[in-house]
Amino acid sequence: MHEKEKDLIDAFLRGQVDRRGLIKGLGAMGLAAGTAGTLLNLGQTRALAADFDWQAHKGKTIKLLLNKHPYADAMIADLENFKKLTGMNVVYDVFPEDVYFDKVTAALSASSPEYDAFMTGAYMTWTYGPAGWITDLNEWIKDPAKTNPNYAWDDFLPGVKNSCAWNGKPGGALGSDDAKQWCIPWGFEQNNITYNKAMFDKAGVTIPGNMDEMVAAAAKLTKDVGGGVYGIGVRGSRSWATIHPGFLSAYANFDQKDLNVSADGKLSAAMNTAQSKAFHKQWVQMIQESGPKDWSTYTWYQVGTDLGAGASAMIFDADILGYFMNGGDNKMAGKLAFASFKANPAAKAATPNIWIWSLAMSNFSKDKDATWYFMQWASGPEHGLFGATKMDFVNPVRQSVWKDEMFREKLNKSYPGYVEMFDASAPGASIKFTAQPLFFDLTTEWAATLQKMVAKEVPIDEGLDKLAESINGQLKEAGLG
């Protein structure tokens, strides 16, 4: 790196030059954007090394268990910088999601020391933590001797960070003062609207601003777009994953809950209130009138594929699902747009439920300190910015990355409405479920009940009353109710 280039990068790292000025300046020196990005990465690595003993575990090797995902791809693409920074080696196994969580459970339940850290969903830590399979990371986060001074723990989006912390008590509030930090958020998904602008224009439909409008818009799109296009894609398979995206995001916007928590910590079903029943009626009507014919088989993949192929006019699901359908070789690439969705007309803003891909440390790791060096780098602001600007690492979990002008411009250029959607939704984004050990079983039963309602096998009011009765029985049997 020549002195002029080094001086300009150092000025950026000191905050004297913004990112636009940096890239413009390096360009004036004859450097292409890709080369400029590489030099910036090297400069950031050099700056990190100046403030902290990153070489404390030089020569050590850690092993990761990874899901095949753009977040893992971004990390692997940047891994040489970690190796240069620390002198450590990193090896990893990558598996597709259809088998990934089985691999995680097999390793942890066997107390295997093979993997030091792994990707996980925050919901899974409600099982892994109390079982003693993962480590409370507060010990490292709060130790200045083990965590670099630029890590900026307060830079994480509060709702996301708190959703990864739980005290282990069924019904305990996420992010409470006594919570254990079971995992570090890495990337996350909000649930909002991705829509096909041309189809909306053809049908004369505007972006829905509440649940009533969404039901009406989906029906009009189904009727007027033609060509077999249906109005809205949402998940419908018999799985907990049907409840957590659009459904729970809208449900929670009406201040509805999955479970009640009494003063003495007892849990009880909360989905058979009058307001909940009214919401379910709208949701079921929307699917019956405007959803795909085989809705009960729909997962993330079918919802996204239909949107990308032009078979649906909009989805109410993960924003990053729409992001990926708006690119690649999808038929509708470049034709999709994004909007925040506030289901309740009386609510001030959207309050989406979220899915968080996180990094957790195995309690069976033979070198937790070395593992933490990798985890703090992979979840740090420098790598976060690399993933967001150079790769498809959406959504970042750090506020500083979302403030980066180049990242916002990247989104504005190809993903219309995405930045505005994020800014409107992020303050209210968090996990809305009640943390408790029966989460997956009870939520899957909820999805099964929803299927019966859509199929008209059970009236909605009766179905929710029976569901609540069943859940209360299971909670009492488990000593939770």
Side-chain angles (χ1 to χ4, degrees), residues 101-229:
F101 286 108
D102 290 339
K103 297 289 185 182
V104 173
T105 301
L108 295 177
S109 62
S111 304
S112 171
E114 180 179 4
Y115 299 106
D116 296 290
F118 59 96
M119 290 174 64
T120 183
Y123 300 118
M124 285 69 182
T125 65
W126 300 350
T127 299
Y128 303 159
W133 293 349
I134 54 178
T135 304
D136 177 9
L137 296 168
N138 279 316
E139 175 184 341
W140 285 269
I141 295 168
K142 296 177 180 179
D143 187 343
K146 295 179 179 179
T147 299
N148 81 84
N150 298 315
Y151 188 55
W153 183 235
D154 290 340
D155 184 38
F156 285 86
L157 290 157
V160 179
K161 179 176 69 174
N162 290 340
S163 293
C164 290
W166 177 45
N167 60 14
K169 301 174 183 176
L174 299 178
S176 61
D177 290 341
D178 62 343
K180 300 178 188 299
Q181 196 70 46
W182 294 120
C183 57
I184 302 295
W186 207 21
F188 79 113
E189 305 164 6
Q190 298 186 121
N191 295 289
N192 277 304
I193 295 173
T194 306
Y195 65 100
N196 188 307
K197 190 175 185 306
M199 292 181 183
F200 269 54
D201 290 345
K202 181 179 180 180
V205 170
T206 57
I207 301 168
N210 57 56
M211 200 64 211
D212 287 338
E213 292 178 5
M214 176 175 274
V215 173
K220 193 171 192 310
L221 288 161
T222 301
K223 175 177 176 289
D224 293 346
V225 172
V229 171

Side-chain angles (χ1 to χ4, degrees), residues 39 68 108 174 204 207 270-271 297 336 347 350 419 470:
L39 289 178
K68 177 60 181 170
L108 295 177
L174 299 178
I207 301 168
M271 66 282 294
T297 67
L336 304 178
V419 170
S470 173

Side-chain angles (χ1 to χ4, degrees), residues 193-195 197 207 322-323 326 332-340 408-422:
I193 295 173
T194 306
Y195 65 100
K197 190 175 185 306
I207 301 168
Y323 175 98
N326 199 42
M332 294 296 118
K335 299 179 181 179
L336 304 178
F338 304 83
S340 174
R408 293 172 78 88
E409 283 187 1
K410 172 187 174 182
L411 293 175
N412 284 330
K413 180 179 179 181
S414 302
Y415 305 90
Y418 202 97
V419 170
E420 293 83 359
M421 171 196 69
F422 182 87

Side-chain angles (χ1 to χ4, degrees), residues 7-278:
D7 290 345
L8 182 57
I9 288 174
D10 286 347
F12 168 75
L13 295 172
R14 291 193 300 268
Q16 295 172 320
V17 177
D18 63 16
R19 179 171 285 269
R20 180 190 294 279
L22 171 69
I23 298 301
K24 184 178 180 180
L26 291 174
M29 295 176 190
L31 297 177
T35 304
T38 300
L39 289 178
L40 175 58
N41 247 14
L42 291 173
Q44 288 174 323
T45 299
R46 180 165 50 80
L48 277 173
D51 297 326
F52 183 68
D53 184 12
W54 282 98
Q55 295 278 316
H57 300 285
K58 183 178 180 180
K60 294 181 178 180
T61 297
I62 64 166
K63 188 172 185 180
L64 311 174
L65 182 55
L66 303 172
N67 178 53
K68 177 60 181 170
H69 194 281
Y71 300 164
D73 294 342
M75 183 275 293
I76 293 168
D78 198 24
L79 197 53
E80 282 305 311
N81 275 309
F82 174 75
K83 294 179 180 180
K84 290 174 184 176
L85 176 68
T86 63
M88 292 171 59
N89 189 35
V90 179
V91 296
Y92 48 84
D93 289 334
V94 182
F95 294 98
E97 192 167 338
D98 59 347
V99 298
Y100 177 72
F101 286 108
D102 290 339
K103 297 289 185 182
V104 173
T105 301
L108 295 177
S109 62
S111 304
S112 171
E114 180 179 4
Y115 299 106
D116 296 290
F118 59 96
M119 290 174 64
T120 183
Y123 300 118
M124 285 69 182
T125 65
W126 300 350
T127 299
Y128 303 159
W133 293 349
I134 54 178
T135 304
D136 177 9
L137 296 168
N138 279 316
E139 175 184 341
W140 285 269
I141 295 168
K142 296 177 180 179
D143 187 343
K146 295 179 179 179
T147 299
N148 81 84
N150 298 315
Y151 188 55
W153 183 235
D154 290 340
D155 184 38
F156 285 86
L157 290 157
V160 179
K161 179 176 69 174
N162 290 340
S163 293
C164 290
W166 177 45
N167 60 14
K169 301 174 183 176
L174 299 178
S176 61
D177 290 341
D178 62 343
K180 300 178 188 299
Q181 196 70 46
W182 294 120
C183 57
I184 302 295
W186 207 21
F188 79 113
E189 305 164 6
Q190 298 186 121
N191 295 289
N192 277 304
I193 295 173
T194 306
Y195 65 100
N196 188 307
K197 190 175 185 306
M199 292 181 183
F200 269 54
D201 290 345
K202 181 179 180 180
V205 170
T206 57
I207 301 168
N210 57 56
M211 200 64 211
D212 287 338
E213 292 178 5
M214 176 175 274
V215 173
K220 193 171 192 310
L221 288 161
T222 301
K223 175 177 176 289
D224 293 346
V225 172
V229 171
Y230 63 90
I232 188 164
V234 294
R235 301 186 212 183
S237 68
R238 189 183 182 279
S239 166
W240 65 274
T242 283
I243 300 299
H244 91 77
F247 177 89
L248 196 75
S249 297
Y251 180 81
N253 202 233
F254 286 96
D255 296 322
Q256 295 301 290
K257 299 179 292 183
D258 58 340
L259 301 175
N260 295 310
V261 183
S262 67
D264 60 354
K266 297 295 184 181
L267 306 182
S268 61
M271 66 282 294
N272 64 334
T273 65
Q275 178 67 71
S276 172
K277 289 175 178 178

